[in-house]
Amino acid sequence: MTRLFRIPLPHLPSSLAMRTAGVYTAGALFSLGFFVFLDAAVFSRVANGASTVHVTFVDWIPLICSVLGMLVINSIEKARLSADNYSYSGSGVAWKARLVLFMGFALIAGGLAGSDTVLVLKYVVPGHPWPTMWFGVANAIANALVMLSCCVLWVSQNIEDSAYAYNLSL
Amino acid sequence: MAGLKTIIVLSFILAIGFLLVILSSALFGNYFPLLVVATFVIAPLPNAICSRCANPDDFIEEGSSSGFVDLGRFFTGFLVVMGIALPIMFAHCGIIQVPAMIMSIIGGLLIYGTIISFTMFFQESEDF
């Protein structure tokens, strides 16, 4: 595959152990993000004190978007994306696969942007004190961790064993 | 058998792990930490189920890299971090106390470690 960038990208180690470590790390990051947000939700229910600001359904929407995007992105079979070989039913599948991949990216980026929007509009602009501000910050951290988990999962699933493939394509 | 002493040590560690978890819930009268040990016991299950379903007999020695096996590994990683993050979340919200959180995390990790060690030992003895 010809190079895309002027500066060559660093080659990831192509070993099977890195691949399994990457999948475990992706699961760990996803769980960390989910539980950071769940901590904010439970805190707002249980230990909120005298504050009237709670974690409502609006706070859940960005996380739902991010998780859906991650599902969409990682369900695509990556061989469909390249239209080089006509053995995969010609060129009709490649643009559909790329469209689905774009929708997945849009969902996950929308989730991240939505969580930052909720943080700014609901928590920063009214100027709440610290324990209440944690709800918005936790939402943003959770969406960023889900996006990072999706990236790690995508990259680690692309690591082929070096005996069977010659290079790593993103 | 080289494994007998190891099995005794592992069972001892498992017993200490269970003791820590039971103490963490009984000393404070709050039984939420038992959820943590349930998570750590369930954690090896997705890995085992998916690797058993994906290749019932070995057709490729190392290349069992199907999506199913990866899904099982993803869920195992999810459950292990859930076992650590869940008590931290409970303690942060005041549902359990901080000593209970520390004891249940350590106990849960010991239990999970012995389950993994037992699995590795049984796989090694099947080579003969």
Side-chain angles (χ1 to χ4, degrees):
Chain A
M1 180 173 151
T2 56
R3 273 188 350 208
L4 184 63
F5 297 111
R6 299 175 71 108
I7 306 175
L9 290 173
H11 278 288
L12 289 172
S14 57
S15 74
L16 209 58
M18 285 296 293
R19 186 200 166 108
T20 59
V23 176
Y24 281 127
T25 312
L29 286 172
F30 183 79
S31 169
L32 202 62
F34 182 67
F35 274 96
V36 163
F37 183 68
L38 203 65
D39 174 66
V42 172
F43 194 89
S44 112
R45 178 86 160 93
V46 169
N48 213 0
S51 169
T52 57
V53 181
H54 292 279
V55 170
T56 57
F57 181 65
V58 180
D59 294 278
W60 282 89
I61 293 177
L63 193 67
I64 294 175
C65 270
S66 288
V67 170
L68 271 179
M70 179 170 178
L71 267 176
V72 165
I73 288 177
N74 288 109
S75 308
I76 297 177
E77 190 178 325
K78 290 166 194 55
R80 299 265 184 263
L81 285 174
S82 62
D84 295 342
N85 40 3
Y86 284 91
S87 62
Y88 284 122
S89 73
S91 58
V93 185
W95 71 269
K96 287 177 194 158
R98 288 172 188 161
L99 180 67
V100 171
L101 186 69
F102 173 73
M103 298 300 292
F105 281 145
L107 273 174
I108 214 174
L112 187 65
S115 76
D116 292 336
T117 309
V118 165
L119 166 66
V120 167
L121 286 182
K122 189 174 169 187
Y123 297 100
V124 172
V125 167
H128 290 298
W130 171 247
T132 314
M133 189 73 91
W134 167 244
F135 305 156
V137 174
N139 200 356
I141 291 177
N143 278 281
L145 282 174
V146 167
M147 177 182 261
L148 191 63
S149 154
C150 179
C151 293
V152 170
L153 190 61
W154 172 273
V155 167
S156 72
Q157 283 204 315
N158 257 331
I159 296 180
E160 305 281 341
D161 199 5
S162 58
Y164 297 110
Y166 290 106
N167 55 356
L168 176 71
S169 60
L170 275 169
Chain B
M1 188 164 76
L4 189 60
K5 201 175 289 186
T6 324
I7 289 183
I8 292 177
V9 167
L10 280 180
S11 307
F12 187 62
I13 297 178
L14 185 73
I16 293 183
F18 269 118
L19 173 72
L20 275 176
V21 169
I22 293 176
L23 272 183
S24 76
S25 39
L27 276 182
F28 300 94
N30 195 352
Y31 288 92
F32 277 106
L34 294 182
L35 278 177
V36 177
V37 74
T39 311
F40 272 118
V41 166
I42 294 177
L45 277 183
N47 228 356
I49 293 177
C50 288
S51 61
R52 184 69 64 90
C53 289
N55 46 350
D57 48 82
D58 289 335
F59 60 98
I60 297 178
E61 283 141 11
E62 77 274 2
S64 65
S65 57
S66 70
F68 210 38
V69 173
D70 279 343
L71 187 70
R73 289 187 183 137
F74 186 83
F75 276 122
T76 297
F78 181 91
L79 285 172
V80 168
V81 174
M82 173 173 166
I84 303 177
L86 193 68
I88 296 180
M89 182 184 95
F90 280 151
H92 180 237
C93 299
I95 298 179
I96 68 175
Q97 314 220 3
V98 176
M101 166 190 98
I102 298 174
M103 283 201 292
S104 64
I105 288 180
I106 295 178
L109 282 175
L110 286 178
I111 293 174
Y112 183 67
T114 50
I115 292 179
I116 296 294
S117 306
F118 269 122
T119 317
M120 278 180 1
F121 272 109
F122 280 132
Q123 275 182 358
E124 272 186 19
S125 62
E126 274 176 12
D127 282 341
F128 305 106

